[in-house]
Amino acid sequence: KEPSMAIDFDAESGIGPKDPKKGELTTEEKALLGDIQGNILKSHGRDHSQHLFLKFDTTKANEARAWLVQLATKKVTSALKQWDESLTRAEIFEKSMKKQDPEAYRSDELAKKGSSIFINVMLSAKGYDALGLSSKKPKDATFCGGAAGAVSRLADPARKDWEAPYDTADLHALVIVADDDPGRVDAEAKAIAASLKGGTVVSTEVGKALRRGKNGPVHEHFGFVDGVSNPLFFAKDIPQKSDDIKRWNPGAGLNLALAKDPGGKATTGYGSFLVYRKLEQDINQFNKDRHELAKALAKEDQRTEPNHADWQLAGAYMVGRFPDGFPVSEKATPEGANNDIPNNFNFDADTKGLKCPFQSHIRKTNPRGDTTKLGETLKKERTHRISRRAISYEKKGKVGLLFLCVQKNIETQFEFMQKLWVNNPTFVQQNPRTGLDPLIGQGTPESQQWPAKYGSEKKIPLSLQQSVHMRGGEYFFLPSMSCLMSMA
Ligand code: HEM
């Protein structure tokens, strides 16, 4: 147990009551959630956001610090506030579903009664220095080196080739403003920018969740349902029946996400490290690759042109899930529109990658026990998990993901995943080599092995090109509320 906190940070059964209608948060849980920012232990779940990247003026550090205290006091959403409002959001959601009016959930009614605008604020290592707050800065070396310091480790494009202003401007802070109503987001973002003292907004990115139908699941620009599998920190979100978590347990201890905040209160002061990467998606390249693979599958079946089933399977081999989210390790065809997307699965029955190739995006980023073959324990493997908080963007004809993930340690979580799993051509299998993750692998493309038929030993070697390009990024720390309030 953490000193002076009656919460076990390793327990994977989740915090809070199993049923919020019958139970409440404990006093310790309330104190902790009141001191950490929202969006760390659970996504804020809003469909629209603006990301304001700030640069502080070192000669006006006092003004900037006072401004941050104001922002924290008046606007930043704590995890406790997010918890309270999520209960109202859930109620409104239930009601609108009963009324067969899912849209009501995202209407003004929700915006006005259900929840306030969601706000996060975070600082980069350079941001702490610019504010004269080095004593409150986490000393972690990977964080302090920033995203620019990780370029060679992660095979990222050189910083001079990043998009402006990321190629030159230092990002000191990031403010995320999110809501279901884009108009409210815009007005709040403008108000925050206008109130800023001792700094300037160097870049604004606009995020928009893409949905299937009015209230359907979120998907990304390649057309696949996203945000399905994430670590779950609250007991109410974790399936309670042991059968439902037998093959994969999504539960996670707070230690996966929370890091002690050197600037916060001794007992409850925790924050989280956040990785931001602007990832542009080349839809033409992705579809070209997917078509090549579908064509090869058709050829195996003595057909010259791929049919819809080849096209579906090719995409599922690349991602590891069909566009509707159904895992390809479980079935050769998608399930069709369905709200219940399985996550209770692993690859134990597919040790040769005959159904879900080793290089597929979800098998690279969550091997679900594959690394135990290499002598790793499942417990250790699970410590590399990240909590994704990304949102799609579209700007001047370019599309992609404003990739965001939170974790306790960037080196052993995000960087470990990108470097030793995603980019590693000998990940899990040396002979034949696995190759890169076809979505986000960075490095020299090489042949990957694709099952010629679903479940067959025969493989088709085919090298897919990179269709996701990193355009800029930074590492941030989300300070505790107690740290933010004491910055002046
Ligand atoms: C899962 C797309 C970038 C890590 C997924 C899924 C999709 C997807 C469609 C399956 C749905 C789900 O389980 O939520 C993309 C796209 C990306 C991208 C289009 C870039 C534009 C990244 C990056 C990482 C990452 C940079 C980290 C290095 C993960 C993880 C999962 C996942 C951990 C969950 C795997 C699991 O638990 O089964 N992604 N992703 N993704 N992605 Fe990505």
Side-chain angles (χ1 to χ4, degrees):
K1 283 188 182 170
E2 282 294 298
S4 59
M5 290 284 298
I7 301 173
D8 182 351
F9 273 48
D10 285 320
E12 294 195 327
S13 46
I15 60 166
K18 285 181 183 158
D19 179 354
K21 283 187 184 138
K22 292 184 190 145
E24 278 188 26
L25 296 171
T26 64
T27 313
E28 288 83 7
E29 286 168 347
K30 274 189 194 156
L32 178 67
L33 296 184
D35 201 2
I36 64 174
Q37 292 193 51
N39 207 23
I40 298 174
L41 298 180
K42 180 146 187 182
S43 160
H44 60 62
R46 276 90 169 150
D47 276 3
H48 295 270
S49 62
Q50 285 198 22
H51 302 213
L52 309 179
F53 295 94
L54 315 181
K55 185 164 193 253
F56 298 121
D57 176 348
T58 45
T59 64
K60 294 181 182 157
N62 284 350
E63 288 175 44
R65 295 202 309 250
W67 176 79
L68 278 167
V69 173
Q70 284 296 306
L71 188 76
T73 316
K74 293 194 182 137
K75 305 208 159 162
V76 174
T77 314
S78 72
L80 187 60
K81 188 170 179 197
Q82 185 186 356
W83 167 270
D84 288 339
E85 292 193 345
S86 75
L87 304 179
T88 328
R89 283 169 71 88
E91 255 171 49
I92 295 176
F93 183 67
E94 251 174 55
K95 267 189 214 149
S96 61
M97 290 315 257
K98 265 186 210 141
K99 276 195 294 185
Q100 298 289 309
D101 177 18
E103 187 63 0
Y105 174 55
R106 291 178 198 285
S107 71
D108 276 0
E109 187 195 359
L110 171 69
K112 290 190 194 105
K113 291 188 211 149
S115 58
S116 47
I117 297 176
F118 188 94
I119 293 176
N120 272 145
V121 63
M122 59 202 89
L123 299 171
S124 66
K126 284 188 175 154
Y128 278 97
D129 294 341
L131 291 167
L133 291 174
S134 303
S135 66
K136 292 187 190 284
K137 178 174 77 172
K139 299 297 172 282
D140 180 86
T142 305
F143 165 70
C144 291
V151 163
S152 62
R153 291 195 295 275
L154 304 180
D156 281 337
R159 186 170 179 197
K160 66 173 176 45
D161 298 327
W162 293 2
E163 205 175 277
Y166 304 119
D167 54 348
T168 52
D170 284 338
L171 308 176
H172 290 163
L174 164 58
V175 178
I176 297 180
V177 180
D179 195 64
D180 283 320
D181 175 348
R184 283 220 309 181
V185 171
D186 198 50
E188 184 64 90
K190 285 204 171 87
I192 290 177
S195 75
L196 176 61
K197 298 260 165 36
T200 47
V201 178
V202 290
S203 168
T204 302
E205 300 285 357
V206 178
K208 180 177 186 286
L210 311 170
R211 279 185 192 276
R212 287 251 160 81
K214 280 185 174 173
N215 210 29
V218 172
H219 61 92
E220 46 68 49
H221 281 288
F222 294 145
F224 292 74
V225 168
D226 200 1
V228 179
S229 175
N230 249 334
L232 302 177
F233 298 95
F234 288 98
K236 75 175 174 64
D237 297 327
I238 303 170
Q240 297 300 323
K241 288 199 213 114
S242 58
D243 264 2
D244 294 342
I245 54 168
K246 202 159 86 190
R247 298 182 66 206
W248 179 252
N249 179 4
L254 299 180
N255 268 332
L256 199 66
L258 297 186
K260 194 90 204 126
D261 181 355
K265 239 165 110 173
T267 46
T268 54
Y270 286 87
S272 191
F273 292 97
L274 179 140
V275 171
Y276 162 64
R277 288 162 80 78
K278 185 170 187 186
L279 299 177
E280 190 179 313
Q281 294 177 253
D282 182 343
I283 298 178
N284 284 338
Q285 182 62 52
F286 180 84
N287 286 341
K288 223 173 110 194
D289 277 342
R290 191 175 171 187
H291 187 73
E292 279 296 302
L293 186 51
K295 236 169 61 186
L297 294 174
K299 204 172 147 205
E300 282 298 322
D301 210 24
Q302 324 296 332
R303 287 176 287 111
T304 44
E305 282 305 310
N307 59 26
H308 187 64
D310 300 320
W311 173 250
Q312 286 279 38
L313 191 58
Y317 280 163
M318 293 162 78
V319 174
R321 289 182 184 268
F322 286 96
D324 68 1
F326 204 84
V328 73
S329 58
E330 307 303 294
K331 252 162 103 250
T333 50
E335 195 77 334
N338 172 357
N339 282 330
D340 192 17
I341 301 170
N343 200 30
N344 181 25
F345 67 93
N346 58 39
F347 308 111
D348 289 0
D350 184 30
T351 52
K352 292 185 181 165
L354 310 182
K355 294 175 174 175
C356 182
F358 292 121
Q359 68 274 16
S360 73
H361 179 57
I362 68 156
R363 197 160 180 172
K364 278 269 197 181
T365 54
N366 187 5
R368 298 179 188 238
D370 276 347
T371 69
T372 58
K373 282 198 296 196
L374 310 174
E376 188 72 286
T377 60
L378 180 60
K379 189 174 172 194
K380 186 78 199 294
E381 186 194 282
R382 285 164 64 82
T383 64
H384 302 303
R385 289 180 290 165
I386 54 172
S387 302
R388 292 172 298 139
R389 303 288 181 253
I391 190 159
S392 290
Y393 74 88
E394 178 164 6
K395 196 178 191 175
K396 293 187 190 152
K398 310 268 190 210
V399 303
L401 208 57
L402 301 171
F403 177 82
L404 303 166
C405 71
V406 289
Q407 58 248 286
K408 180 184 183 153
N409 185 305
I410 295 175
E411 184 190 356
T412 62
Q413 293 176 264
F414 167 72
E415 283 202 6
F416 186 97
M417 187 177 284
Q418 180 81 44
K419 183 179 154 190
L420 293 167
W421 291 351
V422 167
N423 293 356
N424 176 3
T426 58
F427 165 75
V428 192
Q429 192 173 272
Q430 299 270 354
N431 186 22
R433 287 153 65 100
T434 306
L436 306 178
D437 175 327
L439 260 64
I440 57 159
Q442 301 187 143
T444 313
E446 58 179 85
S447 263
Q448 297 129 327
Q449 307 294 319
W450 307 92
K453 282 195 166 43
Y454 184 77
S456 82
E457 292 264 352
K458 187 177 172 200
K459 299 274 178 81
I460 306 167
L462 194 68
S463 171
L464 305 188
Q465 299 302 305
Q466 202 175 323
S467 52
V468 171
H469 299 276
M470 195 261 195
R471 298 297 187 213
E474 188 50 291
Y475 292 163
F476 294 97
F477 187 72
L478 282 143
S480 59
M481 302 299 288
S482 54
C483 175
L484 287 168
M485 309 271 196
S486 68
M487 280 190 173

mmCIF file with all atom_site columns, all heavy atoms in Angstrom, residues 20 40 46 88 164 223 386 388 465 477 481:
data_model
loop_
_atom_site.group_PDB
_atom_site.id
_atom_site.type_symbol
_atom_site.label_atom_id
_atom_site.label_alt_id
_atom_site.label_comp_id
_atom_site.label_asym_id
_atom_site.label_entity_id
_atom_site.label_seq_id
_atom_site.pdbx_PDB_ins_code
_atom_site.Cartn_x
_atom_site.Cartn_y
_atom_site.Cartn_z
_atom_site.occupancy
_atom_site.B_iso_or_equiv
_atom_site.pdbx_formal_charge
_atom_site.auth_seq_id
_atom_site.auth_comp_id
_atom_site.auth_asym_id
_atom_site.auth_atom_id
_atom_site.pdbx_PDB_model_num
ATOM 1  N N   . PRO A 1 20  ? -22.344 1.991  -8.558  1.00 0.00 ? 20  PRO A N   1
ATOM 2  C CA  . PRO A 1 20  ? -22.452 3.341  -7.987  1.00 0.00 ? 20  PRO A CA  1
ATOM 3  C C   . PRO A 1 20  ? -23.848 3.658  -7.464  1.00 0.00 ? 20  PRO A C   1
ATOM 4  O O   . PRO A 1 20  ? -24.009 4.614  -6.715  1.00 0.00 ? 20  PRO A O   1
ATOM 5  C CB  . PRO A 1 20  ? -22.081 4.261  -9.150  1.00 0.00 ? 20  PRO A CB  1
ATOM 6  C CG  . PRO A 1 20  ? -21.540 3.404  -10.219 1.00 0.00 ? 20  PRO A CG  1
ATOM 7  C CD  . PRO A 1 20  ? -21.989 2.007  -9.983  1.00 0.00 ? 20  PRO A CD  1
ATOM 8  N N   . ILE A 1 40  ? -7.301  10.877 -16.744 1.00 0.00 ? 40  ILE A N   1
ATOM 9  C CA  . ILE A 1 40  ? -6.151  9.987  -16.531 1.00 0.00 ? 40  ILE A CA  1
ATOM 10 C C   . ILE A 1 40  ? -6.675  8.572  -16.316 1.00 0.00 ? 40  ILE A C   1
ATOM 11 O O   . ILE A 1 40  ? -6.326  7.650  -17.054 1.00 0.00 ? 40  ILE A O   1
ATOM 12 C CB  . ILE A 1 40  ? -5.310  10.432 -15.304 1.00 0.00 ? 40  ILE A CB  1
ATOM 13 C CG1 . ILE A 1 40  ? -4.721  11.834 -15.512 1.00 0.00 ? 40  ILE A CG1 1
ATOM 14 C CG2 . ILE A 1 40  ? -4.195  9.411  -15.026 1.00 0.00 ? 40  ILE A CG2 1
ATOM 15 C CD1 . ILE A 1 40  ? -4.008  12.406 -14.287 1.00 0.00 ? 40  ILE A CD1 1
ATOM 16 N N   . ARG A 1 46  ? -15.848 12.986 -24.234 1.00 0.00 ? 46  ARG A N   1
ATOM 17 C CA  . ARG A 1 46  ? -16.523 14.006 -25.053 1.00 0.00 ? 46  ARG A CA  1
ATOM 18 C C   . ARG A 1 46  ? -16.076 13.892 -26.518 1.00 0.00 ? 46  ARG A C   1
ATOM 19 O O   . ARG A 1 46  ? -14.935 13.547 -26.777 1.00 0.00 ? 46  ARG A O   1
ATOM 20 C CB  . ARG A 1 46  ? -16.184 15.428 -24.563 1.00 0.00 ? 46  ARG A CB  1
ATOM 21 C CG  . ARG A 1 46  ? -17.051 15.913 -23.404 1.00 0.00 ? 46  ARG A CG  1
ATOM 22 C CD  . ARG A 1 46  ? -16.437 15.564 -22.082 1.00 0.00 ? 46  ARG A CD  1
ATOM 23 N NE  . ARG A 1 46  ? -17.083 16.227 -20.954 1.00 0.00 ? 46  ARG A NE  1
ATOM 24 C CZ  . ARG A 1 46  ? -17.139 15.690 -19.740 1.00 0.00 ? 46  ARG A CZ  1
ATOM 25 N NH1 . ARG A 1 46  ? -16.633 14.488 -19.506 1.00 0.00 ? 46  ARG A NH1 1
ATOM 26 N NH2 . ARG A 1 46  ? -17.701 16.358 -18.758 1.00 0.00 ? 46  ARG A NH2 1
ATOM 27 N N   . THR A 1 88  ? -24.236 11.410 -13.759 1.00 0.00 ? 88  THR A N   1
ATOM 28 C CA  . THR A 1 88  ? -25.331 12.119 -14.429 1.00 0.00 ? 88  THR A CA  1
ATOM 29 C C   . THR A 1 88  ? -25.350 11.779 -15.909 1.00 0.00 ? 88  THR A C   1
ATOM 30 O O   . THR A 1 88  ? -26.404 11.557 -16.498 1.00 0.00 ? 88  THR A O   1
ATOM 31 C CB  . THR A 1 88  ? -25.147 13.653 -14.299 1.00 0.00 ? 88  THR A CB  1
ATOM 32 O OG1 . THR A 1 88  ? -24.505 13.917 -13.072 1.00 0.00 ? 88  THR A OG1 1
ATOM 33 C CG2 . THR A 1 88  ? -26.466 14.364 -14.390 1.00 0.00 ? 88  THR A CG2 1
ATOM 34 N N   . ALA A 1 164 ? 5.196   22.495 -38.980 1.00 0.00 ? 164 ALA A N   1
ATOM 35 C CA  . ALA A 1 164 ? 5.261   23.737 -38.194 1.00 0.00 ? 164 ALA A CA  1
ATOM 36 C C   . ALA A 1 164 ? 4.035   23.807 -37.282 1.00 0.00 ? 164 ALA A C   1
ATOM 37 O O   . ALA A 1 164 ? 2.968   23.367 -37.693 1.00 0.00 ? 164 ALA A O   1
ATOM 38 C CB  . ALA A 1 164 ? 5.274   24.932 -39.131 1.00 0.00 ? 164 ALA A CB  1
ATOM 39 N N   . GLY A 1 223 ? -11.237 3.628  -40.789 1.00 0.00 ? 223 GLY A N   1
ATOM 40 C CA  . GLY A 1 223 ? -12.567 3.019  -40.769 1.00 0.00 ? 223 GLY A CA  1
ATOM 41 C C   . GLY A 1 223 ? -12.736 1.904  -39.748 1.00 0.00 ? 223 GLY A C   1
ATOM 42 O O   . GLY A 1 223 ? -13.704 1.149  -39.820 1.00 0.00 ? 223 GLY A O   1
ATOM 43 N N   . ILE A 1 386 ? -0.585  0.978  -21.842 1.00 0.00 ? 386 ILE A N   1
ATOM 44 C CA  . ILE A 1 386 ? -0.818  2.431  -21.812 1.00 0.00 ? 386 ILE A CA  1
ATOM 45 C C   . ILE A 1 386 ? -2.329  2.668  -21.807 1.00 0.00 ? 386 ILE A C   1
ATOM 46 O O   . ILE A 1 386 ? -3.092  1.778  -22.166 1.00 0.00 ? 386 ILE A O   1
ATOM 47 C CB  . ILE A 1 386 ? -0.220  3.127  -23.070 1.00 0.00 ? 386 ILE A CB  1
ATOM 48 C CG1 . ILE A 1 386 ? -0.754  2.467  -24.358 1.00 0.00 ? 386 ILE A CG1 1
ATOM 49 C CG2 . ILE A 1 386 ? 1.302   3.097  -23.035 1.00 0.00 ? 386 ILE A CG2 1
ATOM 50 C CD1 . ILE A 1 386 ? -0.379  3.189  -25.636 1.00 0.00 ? 386 ILE A CD1 1
ATOM 51 N N   . ARG A 1 388 ? -5.015  4.881  -23.637 1.00 0.00 ? 388 ARG A N   1
ATOM 52 C CA  . ARG A 1 388 ? -5.122  5.760  -24.804 1.00 0.00 ? 388 ARG A CA  1
ATOM 53 C C   . ARG A 1 388 ? -6.246  6.762  -24.632 1.00 0.00 ? 388 ARG A C   1
ATOM 54 O O   . ARG A 1 388 ? -7.327  6.427  -24.169 1.00 0.00 ? 388 ARG A O   1
ATOM 55 C CB  . ARG A 1 388 ? -5.355  4.921  -26.069 1.00 0.00 ? 388 ARG A CB  1
ATOM 56 C CG  . ARG A 1 388 ? -4.142  4.085  -26.434 1.00 0.00 ? 388 ARG A CG  1
ATOM 57 C CD  . ARG A 1 388 ? -4.457  3.122  -27.556 1.00 0.00 ? 388 ARG A CD  1
ATOM 58 N NE  . ARG A 1 388 ? -5.480  2.171  -27.171 1.00 0.00 ? 388 ARG A NE  1
ATOM 59 C CZ  . ARG A 1 388 ? -6.477  1.768  -27.966 1.00 0.00 ? 388 ARG A CZ  1
ATOM 60 N NH1 . ARG A 1 388 ? -6.580  2.247  -29.182 1.00 0.00 ? 388 ARG A NH1 1
ATOM 61 N NH2 . ARG A 1 388 ? -7.373  0.892  -27.539 1.00 0.00 ? 388 ARG A NH2 1
ATOM 62 N N   . GLN A 1 465 ? 3.652   -0.824 -46.768 1.00 0.00 ? 465 GLN A N   1
ATOM 63 C CA  . GLN A 1 465 ? 4.330   0.468  -46.559 1.00 0.00 ? 465 GLN A CA  1
ATOM 64 C C   . GLN A 1 465 ? 3.749   1.200  -45.353 1.00 0.00 ? 465 GLN A C   1
ATOM 65 O O   . GLN A 1 465 ? 2.639   0.900  -44.927 1.00 0.00 ? 465 GLN A O   1
ATOM 66 C CB  . GLN A 1 465 ? 4.188   1.341  -47.805 1.00 0.00 ? 465 GLN A CB  1
ATOM 67 C CG  . GLN A 1 465 ? 4.804   0.720  -49.051 1.00 0.00 ? 465 GLN A CG  1
ATOM 68 C CD  . GLN A 1 465 ? 6.286   0.413  -48.862 1.00 0.00 ? 465 GLN A CD  1
ATOM 69 O OE1 . GLN A 1 465 ? 7.058   1.284  -48.516 1.00 0.00 ? 465 GLN A OE1 1
ATOM 70 N NE2 . GLN A 1 465 ? 6.676   -0.850 -49.068 1.00 0.00 ? 465 GLN A NE2 1
ATOM 71 N N   . PHE A 1 477 ? 3.556   16.322 -18.374 1.00 0.00 ? 477 PHE A N   1
ATOM 72 C CA  . PHE A 1 477 ? 3.137   15.766 -17.090 1.00 0.00 ? 477 PHE A CA  1
ATOM 73 C C   . PHE A 1 477 ? 1.866   16.489 -16.656 1.00 0.00 ? 477 PHE A C   1
ATOM 74 O O   . PHE A 1 477 ? 1.796   17.719 -16.716 1.00 0.00 ? 477 PHE A O   1
ATOM 75 C CB  . PHE A 1 477 ? 4.238   15.942 -16.021 1.00 0.00 ? 477 PHE A CB  1
ATOM 76 C CG  . PHE A 1 477 ? 3.927   15.245 -14.711 1.00 0.00 ? 477 PHE A CG  1
ATOM 77 C CD1 . PHE A 1 477 ? 3.967   13.860 -14.613 1.00 0.00 ? 477 PHE A CD1 1
ATOM 78 C CD2 . PHE A 1 477 ? 3.588   15.977 -13.576 1.00 0.00 ? 477 PHE A CD2 1
ATOM 79 C CE1 . PHE A 1 477 ? 3.663   13.205 -13.413 1.00 0.00 ? 477 PHE A CE1 1
ATOM 80 C CE2 . PHE A 1 477 ? 3.302   15.336 -12.369 1.00 0.00 ? 477 PHE A CE2 1
ATOM 81 C CZ  . PHE A 1 477 ? 3.344   13.949 -12.299 1.00 0.00 ? 477 PHE A CZ  1
ATOM 82 N N   . MET A 1 481 ? -3.808  18.543 -8.661  1.00 0.00 ? 481 MET A N   1
ATOM 83 C CA  . MET A 1 481 ? -4.498  19.807 -8.390  1.00 0.00 ? 481 MET A CA  1
ATOM 84 C C   . MET A 1 481 ? -3.736  20.575 -7.299  1.00 0.00 ? 481 MET A C   1
ATOM 85 O O   . MET A 1 481 ? -3.581  21.797 -7.391  1.00 0.00 ? 481 MET A O   1
ATOM 86 C CB  . MET A 1 481 ? -5.934  19.554 -7.924  1.00 0.00 ? 481 MET A CB  1
ATOM 87 C CG  . MET A 1 481 ? -6.800  18.768 -8.893  1.00 0.00 ? 481 MET A CG  1
ATOM 88 S SD  . MET A 1 481 ? -7.047  19.545 -10.496 1.00 0.00 ? 481 MET A SD  1
ATOM 89 C CE  . MET A 1 481 ? -8.133  20.887 -10.078 1.00 0.00 ? 481 MET A CE  1
#
